[in-house]
Amino acid sequence: MTMEQVEQVRRFNRTVAERVGVLHDHYLGGARPYGQARLLWQIGDEGTHDVRGVRARLGLDSGYVSRLLRALERDGLVAVEPHPQDRRVRTVRLTEAGRAERALLDDRSDALAASLLDPLDARQRDRLTAAMAEVERLLTASVVTVEVLDPDHPDAALCLRAYAAELQELFDTGFDPANSLLPDPGELRAPRGLFLVARLHGDPVGCAGLKLPTGAPAEIKRLWVSPGNRGLGLARRLLTELEERAARHGIELLRLDTNKALEAATRLYRSSGYTEVPAFNDEPYADHWFEKRLTQGNRTRPQ
């Protein structure tokens, strides 16, 4: 990144903070500052929520969330209680007064949004809302984390189950992981491989595996992004991360196979420099086979 880019981000942040009113002690003319109002809105007016999930969604530390919740609880807007199945876990829900204040917050937020659009003509409004949608998408992508996990980790297992369920629907023949060439997740566990999991606000939203067989090209397996989080560039990010990790292991050639039904994946591989080659395995679900030679400059021998 460049310093010009950093400065642009800072200018954007200052402009947004000024225009949406987060600098005022009483957000949107209400009785509380922005932090409390935002938490009240995030809890939502339906059902009970795990406090940890709310905290993860907002990216706040537990101490600050606890202080915000105490303030809202003191004003009679939320009820914080232990989870009925695990008293170590706290839950939160809006009271009737909390739902009423949240509804008022929604109305005032709508009015603020309208006030930002009102001075603009129709073309400018379209440009602004399109730019906002793009900024939202990119900012969401920027908070996704990627971590190496054991394939048996609950988040990894969740991704693999979702992956298999989606392929079962997409493939003409269905999909049974036991019939694939990778029936054993242990092949994606060190030292035989690795498994990446992408998380958004603490929830697993994608995965990708790398087989590192001795004396053979490495293979990319189980690259998947949840349908609701596609369009964030996560598949390409996971693919790039696997390539970089393969390079650090001294890998010279990467291979992968895919099914004809996975058209978006095929486009991703082609645009990422993978070349279609003759079949190099007898994977029953594969229709296309690809490989990519890693550049010498990107390869380093493992320490």
Side-chain angles (χ1 to χ4, degrees), residues 8-300:
Q8 177 59 67
V9 170
R10 294 185 60 186
R11 286 195 300 271
F12 177 83
N13 290 344
R14 291 193 294 270
T15 300
V16 171
E18 293 164 5
R19 292 295 283 124
V20 303
V22 298
L23 302 178
H24 301 290
D25 289 337
H26 302 287
Y27 180 61
L28 296 179
R32 59 198 73 261
Y34 178 79
Q36 293 180 24
R38 181 67 180 86
L39 180 58
L40 186 72
W41 190 90
Q42 186 60 45
I43 293 169
D45 57 3
E46 295 182 1
T48 300
H49 303 272
D50 185 333
V51 171
R52 292 177 302 186
V54 174
R55 178 169 63 83
R57 177 63 183 81
L58 296 177
L60 300 175
D61 68 72
S62 58
Y64 182 51
V65 169
S66 293
R67 292 193 295 274
L68 293 177
L69 285 175
R70 283 198 297 270
L72 296 175
E73 194 172 25
R74 185 174 59 246
D75 291 343
L77 303 181
V78 303
V80 181
E81 301 161 333
H83 193 282
Q85 274 79 49
D86 187 348
R87 297 187 65 83
R88 296 170 299 177
V89 176
R90 293 188 302 162
T91 64
V92 60
R93 59 177 174 81
L94 297 186
T95 63
E96 184 175 349
R99 289 192 293 273
E101 182 158 333
R102 188 182 187 278
L104 178 61
L105 180 63
D106 265 339
D107 290 341
R108 291 180 174 177
S109 295
D110 286 345
L112 173 61
S115 74
L116 297 178
L117 295 169
D118 186 59
L120 307 177
D121 61 31
R123 181 172 174 272
Q124 289 174 318
R125 291 170 186 170
D126 287 343
R127 289 177 59 196
L128 178 60
T129 52
M132 285 177 166
E134 179 71 358
V135 169
E136 180 186 15
R137 183 182 72 85
L138 293 173
L139 287 179
T140 299
S142 75
V143 299
V144 173
T145 61
V146 176
E147 182 182 0
V148 176
L149 293 182
D150 188 282
D152 288 332
H153 186 282
D155 286 352
L158 185 151
C159 288
L160 288 171
R161 288 195 301 271
Y163 167 91
E166 184 170 358
L167 297 194
Q168 172 66 26
E169 295 296 321
L170 288 175
F171 290 1
D172 293 338
T173 60
F175 179 76
D176 182 353
N179 292 332
S180 174
L181 289 184
L182 190 69
D184 178 14
E187 293 185 65
L188 302 178
R189 180 185 295 121
R192 299 164 63 191
L194 61 89
F195 194 73
L196 300 178
V197 171
R199 293 190 180 100
L200 176 59
H201 306 308
D203 296 324
V205 296
C207 65
L210 181 67
K211 288 176 61 177
L212 297 169
T214 301
E219 285 189 50
I220 291 173
K221 306 295 290 185
R222 305 305 191 245
L223 176 58
W224 173 82
V225 174
S226 64
N229 292 284
R230 290 169 189 171
L232 298 177
L234 298 186
R236 190 176 298 275
R237 178 177 170 184
L238 288 165
L239 183 62
T240 300
E241 178 82 7
L242 289 181
E243 291 175 358
E244 292 174 351
R245 290 179 177 273
R248 290 200 292 270
H249 279 80
I251 297 300
E252 298 182 2
L253 187 66
L254 267 178
R255 286 177 168 175
L256 59 88
D257 55 65
T258 191
N259 186 277
K260 62 184 179 182
L262 304 179
E263 296 178 358
T266 301
R267 290 194 298 270
L268 170 66
Y269 302 141
R270 294 185 190 279
S271 67
S272 298
Y274 287 80
T275 302
E276 189 159 6
V277 296
F280 50 76
N281 61 26
D282 56 354
E283 169 60 61
Y285 297 109
D287 298 299
H288 303 283
W289 290 260
F290 292 90
E291 66 180 33
K292 179 177 181 178
R293 191 163 295 279
L294 301 180
T295 61
Q296 184 67 36
N298 289 337
R299 292 200 307 275
T300 57

